[in-house]
Amino acid sequence: YRFEKGAGCDACGNTGFRGRVGVFEILRISPEISRMIMEREPSHKIVDQAKREGFRTMKEDGLAKVRAGLTTVEEVLRTVA
C-alpha cells in the first residue's frame, strides 16, 4: 500500500492535515466473551476471542484511517503506540 504525505499549507500549519479524527477501540461483550470474563480467563485469550469476533485495536483503527486518507502513520504511532 502506498501512503501519501500532505504538502501542507497555512490552513493546516504545514502538517498536511487539519482537525481531529477519533480513534476507537470498542469491545462488544458477546455471550462467549462474557463467559470468559466470568471464568477469569487470561486477558490475551479474551482479546484473541474478541478479534475472532471482529474486534479492532486502536492502532488497527488508526491505520484504517490512514488508509482512508484521514490521518498519517506518524500521528497514529505518536498517539496510540
Side-chain angles (χ1 to χ4, degrees), residues 35-63:
R35 181 198 63 75
M36 293 174 82
I37 292 169
M38 295 301 291
E39 292 181 5
R40 299 185 177 273
E41 294 274 351
S43 61
H44 71 275
K45 288 186 177 184
I46 296 170
V47 170
D48 289 345
Q49 177 63 32
K51 285 186 173 189
R52 284 192 292 276
E53 295 178 16
F55 173 75
R56 190 159 71 173
T57 66
M58 285 177 50
K59 187 181 285 187
E60 290 166 339
D61 187 51
L63 293 176

Side-chain angles (χ1 to χ4, degrees), residues 9-27:
C9 63
D10 289 338
C12 70
N14 293 313
T15 62
F17 61 99
R18 181 176 165 184
R20 294 178 185 217
V21 173
V23 177
F24 303 98
E25 182 173 277
I26 299 170
L27 176 62

Side-chain angles (χ1 to χ4, degrees), residues 52-81:
R52 284 192 292 276
E53 295 178 16
F55 173 75
R56 190 159 71 173
T57 66
M58 285 177 50
K59 187 181 285 187
E60 290 166 339
D61 187 51
L63 293 176
K65 289 173 177 158
V66 169
R67 287 189 295 278
L70 299 174
T71 190
T72 63
V73 172
E74 294 82 11
E75 188 68 6
V76 169
L77 295 177
R78 183 183 74 78
T79 57
V80 301

Side-chain angles (χ1 to χ4, degrees), residues 27-38:
L27 176 62
R28 297 190 192 283
I29 307 298
S30 68
E32 178 62 14
I33 290 175
S34 179
R35 181 198 63 75
M36 293 174 82
I37 292 169
M38 295 301 291

